[in-house]
Amino acid sequence: MTETSTTDEQVTIYTAYEIDFMLGLRDTENGRITREQIGLRSAPEAAQEFVTAAVTSGLRARGKVERSEDGQWLLGEEGQVVATALTAADRWLGIALAEGEAMRMAFIIKANEAILMLTQDELDSFVVTALPSSDQVPASVSDIVLAFLGEGNERTVSLRRTDLSAPQDPIPLMFHVEADSSWKIGHLPLDDEGILQVSDVDAGGVAEATQALWEDGVSQVPGPVAS
């Protein structure tokens, strides 16, 4: 896959409709879960033909797909890597960064040993990058959480891990900076009103809790917070 950086002219960006198209080339249960996890919506039926034509034309112009002799769409090498991971995924981690009304989303998608990260670029497009291994996910996510929370008060990061074994039972975790600059963690179990428990947390606790969520599917307050 193309490596992604802010200065690289070959940044890998796909629109939501392009990702939806790639998912549709190989219909799998995992792919349907991926579509739901990242919030993809197919074009309205009345516009599907037009959207598909525009999507395939754009992908072809960028060298992402080609047409076979029998009329089938074939993904290029990069597209095959992305589509295979999306349609064979077994774990999903949604990341929502919120400040007031503004929110940005990112998704980490695991398919066996392959790990993709989709970062919302605009409302309808994602920057797609490959992470080297599952072991590096907790540190990468912690870096995102710490950088975002460290930029100001009253910010929230929500994490949601979903597994193929229980797609209807996602595991939530939340971090928040209060107006007085104190850091909080929202974790399971839910109370009687279905709200996460809230505890104090520090930067080290963010890393520990994130690791437990990704690796073990555990949403809980980390060890003692340093005084």
Side-chain angles (χ1 to χ4, degrees), residues 4-216:
T4 301
S5 70
T6 55
T7 58
D8 190 346
E9 294 181 356
Q10 298 182 353
V11 167
T12 302
I13 298 178
Y14 290 97
T15 68
Y17 282 144
E18 288 173 340
I19 293 175
D20 184 65
F21 171 77
M22 291 192 291
L23 282 168
L25 291 177
R26 181 186 173 199
D27 187 29
T28 66
E29 179 63 24
N30 308 56
R32 287 190 287 271
I33 297 172
T34 293
R35 182 181 277 106
E36 181 179 340
Q37 289 298 310
I38 64 180
L40 290 183
R41 297 292 180 268
S42 297
E45 186 174 352
Q48 281 184 0
E49 185 176 346
F50 171 79
V51 171
T52 299
V55 165
T56 53
S57 177
L59 287 172
R60 196 171 190 175
R62 292 160 56 201
K64 306 295 186 182
V65 300
E66 61 183 34
R67 196 87 171 189
S68 67
E69 293 182 359
D70 61 358
Q72 300 297 312
W73 286 109
L74 302 177
L75 294 172
E77 181 179 357
E78 176 190 278
Q80 289 181 31
V81 172
V82 174
T84 298
L86 296 179
T87 57
D90 53 58
R91 186 185 305 168
W92 300 261
L93 182 68
I95 307 168
L97 311 178
E99 181 183 18
E101 297 297 321
M103 179 179 292
R104 294 196 68 187
M105 302 290 296
F107 305 91
I108 294 178
I109 299 171
K110 174 183 173 294
N112 298 316
E113 298 303 313
I115 307 288
L116 289 183
M117 184 169 183
L118 278 62
T119 305
Q120 190 178 45
D121 182 53
E122 300 291 345
L123 288 177
D124 64 345
S125 63
F126 298 91
V127 175
V128 181
T129 56
L131 298 182
S133 72
S134 183
D135 294 341
Q136 296 195 18
V137 171
S140 298
V141 175
S142 294
D143 288 346
I144 293 171
V145 174
L146 292 171
F148 183 72
L149 295 183
E151 291 179 357
N153 296 342
E154 299 187 296
R155 291 178 167 222
T156 302
V157 179
S158 300
L159 306 178
R160 181 191 65 204
R161 168 178 155 157
T162 303
D163 292 280
L164 184 61
S165 60
Q168 303 305 319
D169 190 22
I171 304 166
L173 187 68
M174 182 178 296
F175 300 100
H176 181 72
V177 182
E178 301 282 2
D180 63 2
S181 298
S182 62
W183 286 33
K184 303 293 182 181
I185 179 173
H187 56 88
L188 294 178
L190 300 176
D191 64 18
D192 294 339
E193 297 180 355
I195 298 173
L196 292 172
Q197 303 288 324
V198 177
S199 304
D200 294 327
V201 73
D202 63 3
V206 167
E208 183 181 337
T210 301
Q211 182 172 6
L213 178 69
W214 174 254
E215 295 183 351
D216 304 318

